[in-house]
Amino acid sequence: KNCRGSGMTLLKKKGFPDEDELVMCTVTKVQFHSVFCNLDEFNKGGMIHISEVSPGRIRNIRDFVKEGKKVVCKVLRITEEKGHIDLSLRRVTESQRRAKVDELKKEQKAEKTIEFVAKSNDLDFNKFFEDLSSKILKKYVSIYAFFQEVAANPKLVSDLGLEEKIAKSLEETIKLRIKEVQVEIEGKLKLTSFEPDGIEIVKEALKKAGEIGKDNMAIKYLGAGTYHIQITAKNYKDAEKILKDSTESAIELVSKDDGEGSFARQES
């Protein structure tokens, strides 16, 4: 049952997926006009009609899919009484595909963390996994999401009601393996000074911005007086404040000496 490295997680979701949900699938059979898949997270079968494989004319369906290939699909329709799930491959954007693969990799990482704790404490892995996941998923959307919270607040492990030795082992393993949840926001800062020592004024403005941003900020020169600013923080509220305070202080400093500055947010 252990399916490491295959894009699959041990945890199986009950029932059917939701319409428009993104699901990881394994292609099981390719026919002339349709592709049959297994939905890895649900252990259910689904079908992609040829018109939903790729935009444009398809001469050979096997140019896009082969048996055994992993694909991220969007759920189009579900007919529960017949057990039919209609899927689309072409309606999944590249960023959605990457996000889904990333989500599953994180869940695998969480499962490997549990596996390590089970081995270290001579526990039956499957039993320990079932017990732990059922407790975590009552309150959290995923095991990894809970582990990220624990990385920032280790006391949360005590809420699981585990034996003290096991709780300590889980807490330490999470701290070693899982990063705290972080968000990133970015944009372009343009600074111009018309003074003879304009370069020094701009440098001073960037230094001031950097002092406010500290370890949360990365500044990269793009050319023509433009700088890429990236802020990493624990939440969007903190990130927005750091970004606002740092860029405004830099613009204010150059503007004071008859220079000019502007900042534009960038969608990542």
Side-chain angles (χ1 to χ4, degrees):
K1 196 189 171 186
N2 197 329
C3 32
R4 300 286 174 228
S6 60
M8 288 170 69
T9 62
L10 290 179
L11 198 65
K12 298 296 170 200
K13 296 178 183 175
K14 293 180 171 65
F16 283 82
D18 296 324
E19 286 189 0
D20 289 333
E21 186 174 338
L22 295 177
V23 287
M24 178 65 81
C25 303
T26 305
V27 176
T28 53
K29 193 175 182 184
V30 180
Q31 293 188 335
F32 188 62
H33 280 301
S34 50
V35 179
F36 292 90
C37 302
N38 187 56
L39 281 68
D40 296 347
E41 299 150 272
F42 290 87
N43 258 350
K44 285 188 175 357
M47 189 198 80
I48 312 167
H49 186 265
I50 190 168
S51 62
E52 290 297 335
V53 170
S54 177
R57 188 175 164 83
I58 295 175
R59 295 189 183 278
N60 183 0
I61 200 167
R62 287 184 179 272
D63 289 341
F64 301 91
V65 283
K66 291 181 174 68
E67 281 90 350
K69 187 178 177 180
K70 295 274 177 196
V71 287
V72 176
C73 295
K74 182 177 260 192
V75 177
L76 295 181
R77 282 171 302 278
I78 296 165
T79 315
E80 285 197 29
E81 56 273 19
K82 291 184 177 176
H84 288 180
I85 301 172
D86 291 327
L87 303 163
S88 173
L89 187 56
R90 73 178 178 91
R91 296 183 202 219
V92 179
T93 66
E94 181 56 27
S95 63
Q96 286 175 324
R97 189 193 70 78
R98 278 202 306 266
K100 183 65 185 176
V101 170
D102 187 51
E103 177 200 315
L104 289 176
K105 277 183 180 169
K106 284 175 176 174
E107 282 311 293
Q108 281 187 309
K109 194 172 184 179
E111 287 172 10
K112 282 185 175 178
T113 300
I114 296 171
E115 189 175 34
F116 180 83
V117 175
K119 273 185 184 169
S120 305
N121 293 278
D122 294 323
L123 301 171
D124 177 276
F125 169 58
N126 286 314
K127 188 176 180 302
F128 182 54
F129 178 77
E130 293 294 329
D131 180 43
L132 207 54
S133 60
S134 65
K135 284 175 180 174
I136 292 167
L137 297 173
K138 277 176 189 166
K139 289 185 183 177
Y140 294 85
V141 291
S142 70
I143 299 169
Y144 190 85
F146 171 69
F147 283 1
Q148 279 191 312
E149 294 277 345
V150 170
N153 181 11
K155 289 190 180 78
L156 290 170
V157 172
S158 59
D159 296 344
L160 297 172
L162 299 170
E163 189 189 314
E164 197 178 329
K165 177 177 168 263
I166 310 295
K168 191 76 189 145
S169 176
L170 180 62
E171 190 185 304
E172 285 170 0
T173 309
I174 290 170
K175 268 196 281 189
L176 280 171
R177 291 170 170 244
I178 311 287
K179 286 180 185 172
E180 282 182 47
V181 63
Q182 289 197 316
V183 298
E184 284 178 3
I185 57 173
E186 58 190 339
K188 286 179 184 173
L189 177 66
K190 197 167 174 61
L191 299 172
T192 312
S193 174
F194 305 105
E195 295 293 309
D197 60 343
I199 290 170
E200 291 308 312
I201 291 167
V202 168
K203 269 187 188 171
E204 197 56 41
L206 289 169
K207 188 181 168 191
K208 195 173 178 187
E211 282 166 4
I212 293 168
K214 292 184 183 144
D215 298 336
N216 301 81
M217 179 185 256
I219 303 174
K220 185 178 161 193
Y221 183 55
L222 298 174
T226 306
Y227 301 84
H228 177 261
I229 306 287
Q230 185 173 330
I231 305 291
T232 307
K234 287 184 185 178
N235 56 62
Y236 281 105
K237 191 182 171 189
D238 290 353
E240 295 287 357
K241 187 175 185 330
I242 295 165
L243 186 66
K244 184 175 183 287
D245 292 350
S246 59
T247 53
E248 281 182 2
S249 72
I251 291 166
E252 192 185 326
L253 199 147
V254 293
S255 302
K256 202 169 66 181
D257 290 304
D258 293 328
E260 56 189 38
S262 62
F263 180 75
R265 271 292 293 275
Q266 199 175 311
E267 294 308 315
S268 49

